[in-house]
Amino acid sequence: MGKPLEGVRVLDLTRVLAGPFGSMMLSDLGAEIIKVEVPGTGDDSRSFGPFRNGKSLYFLNVNRGKESVAIDLKTAAGKRLLLDLAVKCDVLVENFRPGTMEKLGLGWEVLRKENPRLVYGAVSGFGHTGPDSGRPAYDILVQAMGGVMSITGWPDSPPTRVGLSMGDITAAVFGATGIVTALYQREKTGRGQKVDVAMLDCQLAILENALVRYQVDGKPPAPLGTRHPTITPFQAFRSSDAWFVVAVGNDSLWKNFCAAVERPDLLADGRFSTNGSRTKHYDELIPELERTLARKPMAEWLVVFEKAGVPAAPVNDVEAVMKDRQLIARNMFVTVDDPVAGTVTIPGNPIKMESVPESPTRPPAPEVGEHTDTVLRRVLGLDDAAIARLRADGAV
C-alpha cells in the first residue's frame, strides 16, 4: 500500500512558515512538493536562525524533502513557465498577501482556466474576502487580534504571546486539511476549487470555549495562568523540586486525588464537593493544595498519582521532551543528514497511518533552484536547449 497522497503533485509557492509547514504535512503523507523560489535568494526563511555551518535550521525544519525550482515570476517567460507547471500539478499553494497572484497575472481565475482540476490553496493573514483582506499579517498580529493573547499569561500580566507561532501553524494545519478535502471532493466531481484559509479565522476557531464563556459571564475571559477556567484542580503545581501538572477532570478523580494526597478533610469539605463548587471556591482550595504538594519531590508525586489513577505529568523543558520515552517510541524524533548542517533532529510525523511507513530519517532541504533542471525535464519534458532558452529569457 502506497502513501495516501502518492501521485499528488504540489506546486508550492509558499514561504516562511504557514505555507511551508502545510506543504510539509502533505509531503509526509506522500505528496510530491515542487517548491518555487526566487532565483538567488529563495525563501525568506533561509536567512532566519538558528544556523549551523551557515545553513538555516529554521528553513530545514519545514522544507526537508522538497524539490526547489527557481523561477523569476516577474518575467513573462517565468509566468508562462509557472502556468505550464500548474497544468501538470494537482495542487498549487501560496501564502502571498491577497491580490499578489492577480497582479502577477497568475490568480485563481487564470489558473482554473489552464487547469480546471487544480486545487488552489491560499493561506493569508486575513483571507481573500472582507474589509481587511489586503492587510499584511504576522503570527503575533493574528494572535493579538484573534483573542489568544488576551487569555494567555497570568492575571494582571501584560498580554502574552503563545511561545510558538500558533497563528502560522494553525493556519498550516487548517490549510492542509482544506486541500486534502478538496482533493477528495475532486474525485467525485472532477473539478478543482479554491481553498481560502485566513490566519485570523483560525485563531478564532481554536478559542475553544472563550466565546461561549463571554456570552454567559458578560465579560471577556482573562488570563488565568496554567489553570482551567471551569475545571478545578486542573493546573500546574510546584513540588519540593519541580513543576508538574494535575488534571482532576471530574468528581470521581477528586476522590482519588484527595486519598492520594492524604487530605480526607478536603473531600469532606462541602465547598469542594463538586467541580462547580471547587471552581467557585478556587481561591480557598488552591493554597491548601500548594502547601500539600510542596512537601514531596515531583517524582514521588507522579508515582503516587499514577497508582491512584489521577492524571499528572511533569512540565518538561525541550531537553526533557527530547528524552521522552513515549515520543521516542512513536518515532517523533527523526534525523536529517544535511551535507552542510550535518545531522539534525527534527519532529516526525504525528499522523500515524498503516499506509505511511515510519522512517527514522528525512531527506535534506534543497538548495535554491537545486532541482530546476530535473523538474523541468521530468514534469514538462523539456530538453537542454529549451531550459537554456528559459535561462536566456531570465525565467530561471
Side-chain angles (χ1 to χ4, degrees), residues 20-330:
F21 194 102
S23 60
M24 176 194 71
M25 293 176 61
L26 302 178
S27 173
D28 282 344
L29 295 174
E32 171 190 349
I33 310 297
I34 300 173
K35 184 177 179 68
V36 177
E37 299 191 77
V38 177
T41 56
D43 188 323
D44 291 345
S45 67
R46 288 181 180 273
S47 64
F48 296 175
F51 297 95
R52 182 185 288 176
N53 299 330
K55 186 108 178 225
S56 167
L57 300 191
Y58 184 111
F59 177 84
L60 178 149
N61 189 47
V62 292
N63 289 285
R64 70 294 188 290
K66 302 175 184 179
E67 294 180 296
S68 174
V69 174
I71 302 178
D72 188 345
L73 296 178
K74 295 180 180 179
T75 67
K79 293 173 184 177
R80 184 64 252 174
L81 179 59
L82 187 90
L83 289 173
D84 291 343
L85 286 170
V87 170
K88 298 292 186 177
C89 289
D90 300 283
V91 177
L92 183 147
V93 59
E94 52 93 355
N95 64 338
F96 296 118
R97 193 187 306 187
T100 299
M101 290 289 283
E102 284 73 16
K103 289 178 182 177
L104 290 170
L106 299 169
W108 169 233
E109 295 303 323
V110 173
L111 290 165
R112 73 192 306 179
K113 290 177 182 177
E114 296 279 338
N115 182 0
R117 288 178 54 82
L118 185 69
V119 170
Y120 179 96
V123 177
S124 61
F126 301 98
H128 281 222
T129 60
D132 293 328
S133 174
R135 292 183 58 179
Y138 285 95
D139 172 81
I140 194 169
L141 271 67
V142 297
Q143 283 200 36
M145 293 180 66
V148 172
M149 287 178 64
S150 76
I151 58 174
T152 304
W154 294 89
D156 302 319
S157 70
T160 304
R161 175 186 175 272
V162 177
L164 51 82
S165 298
M166 183 73 72
D168 285 298
I169 293 171
T170 52
V173 174
F174 279 110
T177 302
I179 287 169
V180 171
T181 304
L183 287 170
Y184 176 76
Q185 190 170 37
R186 190 183 71 173
E187 292 300 303
K188 299 179 179 181
T189 66
R191 299 193 303 272
Q193 63 182 294
K194 182 177 180 178
V195 178
D196 174 12
V197 173
M199 293 167 65
L200 181 62
D201 294 353
C202 296
Q203 293 303 281
L204 174 66
I206 63 169
L207 274 185
E208 195 188 354
N209 61 17
L211 287 182
V212 291
R213 279 193 284 137
Y214 168 66
Q215 294 170 69
V216 170
D217 298 338
K219 58 182 180 180
L224 296 172
T226 65
R227 65 172 286 199
H228 192 280
T230 60
I231 306 174
T232 305
F234 199 98
Q235 65 180 75
F237 290 96
R238 175 79 185 182
S239 68
S240 64
D241 66 343
W243 286 94
F244 68 105
V245 297
V246 174
V248 180
N250 56 53
D251 293 337
S252 294
L253 286 174
W254 174 243
K255 294 176 183 178
N256 295 346
F257 175 86
C258 290
V261 299
E262 299 178 349
R263 291 295 303 268
D265 58 309
L266 296 179
L267 184 61
D269 194 320
R271 294 173 298 170
F272 313 135
S273 59
T274 67
N275 177 67
S277 60
R278 288 192 296 277
T279 301
K280 180 179 179 180
H281 295 282
Y282 175 91
D283 291 336
E284 298 147 76
L285 174 61
I286 296 306
E288 290 290 336
L289 298 184
E290 288 175 337
R291 285 190 287 270
T292 297
L293 296 173
R295 294 170 184 167
K296 293 181 181 181
M298 178 185 70
E300 288 189 27
W301 280 126
L302 294 180
V303 171
V304 167
F305 289 133
E306 184 173 4
K307 290 180 178 178
V310 175
V315 177
N316 286 334
D317 60 18
V318 174
E319 181 179 9
V321 168
M322 294 187 73
K323 298 175 182 177
D324 185 274
R325 65 183 186 181
Q326 180 67 11
L327 291 171
I328 293 170
R330 297 274 292 174

